[in-house]
Amino acid sequence: MKMDHEQTANAIREGRTSLGIEFGSTRIKAILIDEQFQSIAQGAFEWESSLQDGMWTYNLIDIITGLQVAYRQMKEQAEEMYGVTIRTIGSIGISAMMHGYLACDHTGELLVPFRTWRNSTTTEASQKLTDLFQFHIPERWSIAHLYQAILEEEKHLFRLEYLTTLSGYIHWLLTGKQAIGIGDASGMFPIDESIQDFSDVMLDQFDELLTEKNYPWKLRDLLPRVYLAGEEAGVLSAAGAAILDQAKQLQPGIPFCPPEGDAGTGMVATNSIERRTGNISVGTSVFAMIVLEEHLSHVYPEVDLVTTPDGVPVAMVHANNCTSDLNAWMNVFREAFEAMGQPVDTKRLYESLLRQALEADRDGGGLLSYGYYSGEQITRLQEGRPLFVRSAASRFNLANFMRTHLFSAFGAMKIGMDRLKENEHIVIDRLLGHGGLFKTPIVGQKMVAAALDTPISVVSTAGEGGAFGMAVLASYMMNRQKQTLAEFLTHQVFANTSEERIEPDPLDVKGFELFLKRYQEGLSIERAAVEHMAPMKGAEPIC
């Protein structure tokens, strides 16, 4: 039952709310929810990564500014709608892009710029650690970044005292506590399911590997403490309250749940954390998460092993590149409209053009694209160049153009998912979609269903994204009682939530198979583009 206006105002006044803040790849978003898990107010800050000295990074100033802007907008919206100034909140949670490398000294100073998940510069470290552990270590993982820095003898390593992810860093900034949720932790270093913590065996193996390096630390001393969903992982400090709320009206002492990664919050936002369920997140990157019944029989370079926020093993197939190139083309179309004196609403632009894909040839008309802004481990490319290719015989029209870019967004992930399905024979009862692409009804679901040959469902909360999932995790910490996270989600959060399901169209499935054959055969074109076209490094245009 939804709360009425006065009930919501009282909930805000009395702090019977939960706040989730997520640092996504293109937007920092804050969502405040009530006791019925309904969104009360939201705020956001747009940002993007930049390529500096060969590394994808985000500016630390933008990290802090974005946090403050998203919170301030959420607070102002609550004040405008309910006439109440937020002074306390029942619980808070921080989420962010998984993986990456935030290396700090004891004061919290970053020793090198934040190295994000998008960097594929750790191939050597990834391969060597995978061989050592007999456990797949993706290039994105924090431990791969650390070991690559070691292999390259970077000077900052002798000053290193703390290693964390973006969610862990913000949590530390606001609470003073070095903590991390197990889902985000599983993208830093392998987890031992039996102890719900970093693997002691592999920690020892790694330290033994560094015996002759004489660093003044052991790996476990660098890593944050691992927490499970439902546990309290600190409280808002006075310094943290001053950072978060520049008006200094928010009171310290608010409990924080464990900080989590965007994969975990996406699972929560779609109620897909039970075994034999999964979800697919579509954004700057694309990844599918399948909650496993049994451990995988082999190590696969296309498949990562992570966990749900409550520690259940998950197979993750992650591709670095998804919608960035599609968004770039949308901006070109916007410029074309504006050049003709016809400004267009963003929502209408996306909906109108994406729907064209439904009218296309089933395989995209012989067109080919690679939205590779960065490297792609699944297809063995350390760098990327966005690329669109056609032959004179291709059927080049708007509908085929749009379908091709949508199909291409799922190409690399499809290769990894096929390996998992064919070799491990996993069973998926439900696959939930979330991310901005699914805000346009039908189109995203039909394209993903065709790519994976699997029914795709979207729940009504999917558009809220990871910030909503993080707010739910914060609420679970305060209201879990004796419920598991799966029970809490099913019986409380999603008890009355609608779900739209689309079955794969056999002709679309066949069309995607034809496209994927073309996609795989054309990878040599992408490799040639990487080899022969150097990336621009901040060059000024010639006027």
Side-chain angles (χ1 to χ4, degrees):
M1 181 187 299
K2 290 187 177 181
M3 300 169 66
D4 64 27
H5 188 276
E6 186 58 34
Q7 288 175 323
T8 301
N10 286 333
I12 297 171
R13 189 177 294 109
E14 297 167 9
R16 292 183 283 110
T17 54
S18 294
L19 174 65
I21 302 175
E22 179 156 281
F23 290 73
S25 55
T26 60
R27 184 169 61 160
I28 300 170
K29 186 175 182 180
I31 289 186
L32 188 71
I33 63 173
D34 61 25
E35 296 169 294
Q36 304 302 318
F37 317 107
Q38 300 297 313
S39 175
I40 297 172
Q42 302 185 18
F45 176 81
E46 304 290 333
W47 70 341
E48 61 181 352
S49 59
S50 60
L51 191 61
Q52 297 181 12
D53 299 323
M55 290 284 184
W56 290 100
T57 188
Y58 290 90
N59 188 296
L60 181 59
I61 294 175
D62 286 344
I63 292 174
I64 305 303
T65 300
L67 171 70
Q68 294 172 334
V69 169
Y71 178 84
R72 184 178 71 247
Q73 287 187 0
M74 179 278 299
K75 176 185 173 185
E76 289 174 350
Q77 188 178 99
E79 288 178 344
E80 181 180 344
M81 294 178 65
Y82 299 101
V84 179
T85 297
I86 296 174
R87 301 184 184 278
T88 188
I89 298 169
S91 54
I92 301 176
I94 303 295
S95 175
M97 301 166 281
M98 287 180 69
H99 321 298
Y101 185 74
L102 281 122
C104 311
D105 65 13
H106 71 282
T107 68
E109 178 186 351
L110 289 181
L111 301 176
V112 293
F114 170 33
R115 297 171 181 175
T116 78
W117 57 270
R118 197 168 206 170
N119 292 291
S120 51
T121 56
T122 63
T123 301
E124 183 182 3
S126 170
Q127 292 173 347
K128 287 185 175 181
L129 291 177
T130 296
D131 291 341
L132 174 68
F133 297 147
Q134 288 300 293
F135 183 102
H136 177 47
I137 302 296
E139 294 174 349
R140 307 180 309 280
W141 282 25
S142 306
I143 190 60
H145 282 281
L146 174 61
Y147 191 48
Q148 191 67 41
I150 291 168
L151 292 174
E152 296 177 10
E153 299 183 341
E154 295 191 29
K155 294 181 180 179
H156 76 272
L157 295 168
F158 284 95
R159 295 176 56 203
L160 182 61
E161 295 193 39
Y162 184 44
L163 175 62
T164 189
T165 65
L166 182 55
S167 78
Y169 181 80
I170 301 299
H171 183 92
W172 183 30
L173 189 70
L174 298 180
T175 69
K177 195 159 187 176
Q178 296 179 349
I180 194 166
I182 193 168
D184 207 7
S186 68
M188 294 188 73
F189 192 85
I191 294 292
D192 181 343
E193 184 185 358
S194 67
I195 61 172
Q196 302 281 261
D197 202 347
F198 297 120
S199 167
D200 287 325
V201 172
M202 295 183 196
L203 286 169
D204 290 342
Q205 287 177 304
F206 187 85
D207 285 336
E208 186 176 347
L209 191 64
L210 305 187
T211 301
E212 298 180 0
K213 295 290 185 179
N214 296 316
Y215 293 122
W217 45 259
K218 298 291 185 183
L219 180 56
R220 176 168 283 284
D221 297 333
L222 299 180
L223 297 173
R225 178 182 167 185
V226 176
Y227 287 80
L228 296 175
E231 296 181 329
E232 185 178 307
V235 299
L236 183 66
S237 66
I243 292 171
L244 186 58
D245 182 8
Q246 292 177 287
K248 296 183 171 51
Q249 294 170 319
L250 187 65
Q251 300 303 303
I254 299 168
F256 272 64
C257 68
E260 264 299 348
D262 53 354
T265 56
M267 299 177 83
V268 171
T270 54
N271 189 21
S272 52
I273 68 162
E274 293 189 83
R275 297 181 192 272
R276 293 173 57 132
T277 65
N279 76 92
I280 176 171
S281 173
V282 178
T284 303
S285 66
V286 58
F287 52 85
M289 310 276 292
I290 311 300
V291 187
L292 297 173
E293 288 186 284
E294 300 176 353
H295 291 284
L296 301 183
S297 60
H298 294 88
V299 175
Y300 301 102
E302 304 89 352
V303 181
D304 311 345
L305 287 176
V306 292
T307 79
T308 64
D310 55 347
V312 179
V314 173
M316 179 181 189
V317 178
H318 181 285
N320 282 353
N321 301 280
C322 186
T323 61
S324 293
D325 197 38
L326 179 64
N327 292 337
W329 281 106
M330 288 295 192
N331 284 332
V332 170
F333 289 126
R334 182 199 307 279
E335 289 178 3
F337 279 108
E338 292 173 349
M340 294 185 291
Q342 298 180 22
V344 61
D345 173 72
T346 297
K347 183 174 184 291
R348 185 182 178 191
L349 176 71
Y350 272 80
E351 287 189 355
S352 299
L353 294 181
L354 289 176
R355 286 186 182 280
Q356 291 293 311
L358 301 178
E359 307 301 322
D361 294 326
R362 302 289 183 157
D363 73 330
L367 308 181
L368 180 60
S369 76
Y370 298 96
Y372 286 14
Y373 271 56
S374 62
E376 195 62 77
Q377 183 174 359
I378 290 176
T379 51
R380 309 292 187 269
L381 280 152
Q382 287 187 286
E383 295 182 46
R385 303 289 184 271
L387 191 66
F388 173 69
V389 184
R390 65 187 176 98
S391 72
S394 299
R395 293 174 295 282
F396 185 36
N397 56 44
L398 181 59
N400 284 336
F401 184 86
M402 297 308 301
R403 179 172 284 229
T404 294
H405 279 83
L406 287 169
F407 272 5
S408 180
F410 308 118
M413 184 195 67
K414 167 67 171 176
I415 295 170
M417 285 293 288
D418 282 351
R419 177 65 66 92
L420 193 60
K421 282 187 171 182
E422 291 166 7
N423 291 17
E424 296 293 332
H425 308 294
I426 60 169
V427 177
I428 307 172
D429 293 336
R430 296 169 69 242
L431 190 60
L432 284 296
H434 63 106
L437 183 64
F438 296 107
K439 290 183 179 180
T440 299
I442 301 175
V443 181
Q445 283 178 267
K446 281 186 69 71
M447 297 301 113
V448 177
L452 301 183
D453 193 12
T454 300
I456 303 296
S457 299
V458 173
V459 295
S460 58
T461 55
E464 300 285 8
F468 171 76
M470 196 67 239
V472 169
L473 284 172
S475 179
Y476 175 60
M477 177 186 66
M478 305 301 291
N479 300 289
R480 65 171 175 162
Q481 299 167 344
K482 294 184 179 180
Q483 298 177 94
T484 65
L485 179 57
E487 291 169 341
F488 177 74
L489 295 177
T490 298
H491 301 305
Q492 292 194 46
V493 181
F494 295 97
N496 300 305
T497 301
S498 61
E499 182 176 305
E500 298 292 334
R501 176 183 171 106
I502 287 183
E503 301 286 335
D505 182 325
L507 292 178
D508 283 339
V509 172
K510 185 176 180 180
F512 189 88
E513 290 172 354
L514 291 173
F515 170 82
L516 188 65
K517 184 174 185 293
R518 185 162 66 246
Y519 180 94
Q520 291 178 292
E521 290 173 347
L523 283 168
S524 57
I525 307 172
E526 174 69 19
R527 293 189 181 96
V530 171
E531 181 179 352
H532 296 289
M533 184 180 183
M536 295 179 67
K537 298 181 179 180
E540 293 293 328
I542 298 174
C543 300

